[in-house]
Amino acid sequence: MSGNRVSPKLVVDDADAAIDFYQRAFAARCTERYTLGEKVVFASLDLLGSSISLKEADSVDPSPATLGRPGVILEITCETPDSVAAAAVQAGAEVMFPVDDQPYGARGGRVRDPFGHEWLIQSPVRLTPAEVQARLDTMTG
């Protein structure tokens, strides 16, 4: 490995179902999968040019579904947020808010996957930082 990196590790209630979902929703590719008995304790996925890992929920690491709240929000920046969000919904994600033009200069929306993790799917912001702040300031009155 060269250099440092940060990548998310998702805790899910059914790792094999999650791997299948991420393959269908985001064209992910599973590169590693290890089990302890029947439970997936580590899986690595290449997903949209990035790497994420996941594992089965257990007593140490509960899933968002077990906790009754969303997990982290993962952000996907892409040129085609409408089609990426549509693929996620087709695979079983729930729309939290639909893809639309956002005041901060991106086109984006949010979906929640069947495992409780939320995905903000948006195009790159095409405004300067000053323009973004000015638009946000107008929203607050």
Side-chain angles (χ1 to χ4, degrees), residues 74-131:
L74 295 110
E75 185 173 321
I76 296 174
T77 303
C78 60
E79 293 296 329
T80 57
D82 296 88
S83 62
V84 172
V89 169
Q90 177 73 26
E94 171 190 0
V95 174
M96 301 312 293
F97 62 86
V99 174
D100 201 354
D101 293 331
Q102 301 300 327
Y104 51 84
R107 181 165 179 78
R110 186 184 300 182
V111 300
R112 180 179 296 147
D113 69 32
F115 311 94
H117 298 285
E118 294 189 5
W119 300 78
L120 176 63
I121 303 169
Q122 66 180 16
S123 66
V125 174
R126 302 194 193 299
L127 300 174
T128 67
E131 291 170 323

Side-chain angles (χ1 to χ4, degrees), residues 28-110:
R29 187 173 59 86
C30 185
T31 57
E32 294 178 88
R33 181 183 171 281
Y34 302 103
T35 61
L36 184 60
E38 297 293 316
K39 299 281 188 181
V40 174
V41 293
F42 178 84
S44 181
L45 303 174
D46 285 341
L47 190 146
L48 300 170
S50 297
S51 177
I52 67 166
S53 60
L54 60 89
K55 68 170 289 224
E56 296 275 350
D58 56 29
S59 62
V60 175
D61 298 314
S63 72
T66 303
L67 295 172
R69 60 180 166 78
V72 298
I73 299 171
L74 295 110
E75 185 173 321
I76 296 174
T77 303
C78 60
E79 293 296 329
T80 57
D82 296 88
S83 62
V84 172
V89 169
Q90 177 73 26
E94 171 190 0
V95 174
M96 301 312 293
F97 62 86
V99 174
D100 201 354
D101 293 331
Q102 301 300 327
Y104 51 84
R107 181 165 179 78
R110 186 184 300 182

